[in-house]
Amino acid sequence: MDDETCELVNGAELILGEGTDSIRAYLLKAVKNNNGNGVLLLSDIFGFEDSSTRDFAYRVACNGYNVLVPDLFRGNPWTKNRPRTQFELWLSRQPPERVAKDINTSAKWMVDEFVAAKITKKLGIIGFCFGGGKLIETIAQDKDSYFGIGICFYGTRMNPSLASNIKIPVLFVSGDDDPLCPVSILHDMKNNIRDSRVVVYQGRGHGFAHRPESPEDDKDAEDAFFVMRNWLHDSLVVKN
């Protein structure tokens, strides 16, 4: 992927839904090399406007996809300057039912935009950290079969018991030095999800793939992106 290709991406702010149920989102669309496939990207706690999240979404779009990043926190993401002692209080103000509803609103919008138009058959879904945990919940409850493939980057607060309800392949990516995403849980979940895969990077901590903080992180982040790109391509572009 070169810089010239990456320039061929359009970005737009959107409002999804109506009234009190409406949410903001950011859509990135490949222009000349668009393969027609939609990917829903669930952010970490820093939200949909965070530069690291948007940069990653941009790179995914560069490879031909239409990437939607919804505001999971209704304008109140976690910020780096807040004391960690306030984290659980902040999280309690992000009710799971509302977050799940907003994710469903986003998925339905993508289905109407891309699947109903017969551009693609299934959506892809990517989640980082908090979003990774929500990804597991979302695809475990995907009664309408919106999604065809999942990619979970170091998901937090995941419920392993949901794995048996998941019917699509999931790529799990994490570091072995990540206390928020134990590798043992990923392997337990993989064993209950058909055709899934776990990729673990030695010495890497939480967030390395989209927030690299060292040359070593950078190297493994590039590899993780390459693995993810192939997973998306093989499952959405080739199979669709």
Side-chain angles (χ1 to χ4, degrees):
M1 182 177 61
D2 56 37
D3 291 339
E4 184 181 357
T5 302
C6 279
E7 290 175 2
L8 305 177
V9 172
N10 283 340
E13 297 276 356
L14 303 176
I15 301 293
L16 311 180
E18 299 180 353
T20 57
D21 287 333
S22 66
I23 61 169
R24 296 169 65 204
Y26 192 64
L27 177 67
L28 292 131
K29 298 177 70 172
V31 179
K32 292 186 178 179
N33 63 334
N34 197 307
N35 60 37
N37 289 281
V39 176
L40 181 62
L41 193 152
L42 307 181
S43 74
D44 60 18
I45 57 176
F46 299 107
F48 86 123
E49 293 181 305
D50 176 77
S51 60
S52 295
T53 295
R54 289 210 176 177
D55 287 349
F56 195 97
Y58 188 92
R59 290 192 68 189
V60 176
C62 282
N63 283 270
Y65 298 92
N66 304 293
V67 184
L68 184 71
V69 190
D71 177 11
L72 300 181
F73 307 110
R74 296 283 184 101
N76 181 31
W78 181 253
T79 55
K80 294 177 182 177
N81 59 355
R82 292 192 196 184
R84 289 294 299 181
T85 52
Q86 296 180 7
F87 181 76
E88 293 300 330
L89 176 61
W90 169 81
L91 192 62
S92 71
R93 293 171 176 166
Q94 312 295 334
E97 298 81 7
R98 195 268 300 153
V99 174
K101 187 175 182 180
D102 290 350
I103 293 172
N104 193 53
T105 295
S106 303
K108 283 185 175 179
W109 183 89
M110 295 201 83
V111 167
D112 290 343
E113 190 76 8
F114 302 112
V115 179
K118 300 188 185 304
I119 298 173
T120 183
K121 295 179 181 177
K122 298 286 185 180
L123 302 174
I125 182 170
I126 299 171
F128 294 110
C129 315
F130 173 92
K134 295 303 176 184
L135 177 150
I136 296 302
E137 295 172 13
T138 299
I139 58 178
Q141 300 163 6
D142 184 22
K143 296 181 177 60
D144 296 308
S145 299
Y146 289 153
F147 300 101
I149 193 73
I151 301 165
C152 180
F153 284 93
Y154 26 76
T156 57
R157 306 191 184 213
M158 292 186 293
N159 182 353
S161 68
L162 295 177
S164 58
N165 296 328
I166 295 174
K167 308 303 181 186
I168 65 173
V170 179
L171 171 66
F172 293 96
V173 179
S174 191
D176 68 349
D177 193 23
D178 185 350
L180 300 177
C181 182
V183 172
S184 59
I185 290 180
L186 302 183
H187 285 291
D188 287 345
M189 296 180 73
K190 171 189 174 294
N191 291 338
N192 287 294
I193 305 173
R194 185 178 177 182
D195 297 327
S196 291
R197 182 183 176 192
V198 174
V199 179
V200 178
Y201 290 87
Q202 301 300 311
R204 302 284 73 80
H206 195 65
F208 77 93
H210 75 304
R211 298 182 184 279
E213 297 180 348
S214 69
E216 292 78 18
D217 278 1
D218 280 335
K219 181 176 181 295
D220 286 342
E222 285 300 310
D223 187 79
F225 189 90
F226 179 78
V227 171
M228 176 214 68
R229 185 178 64 181
N230 287 346
W231 186 263
L232 277 177
H233 182 268
D234 292 347
S235 301
L236 290 183
V237 180
V238 175
K239 290 185 179 179
N240 272 346

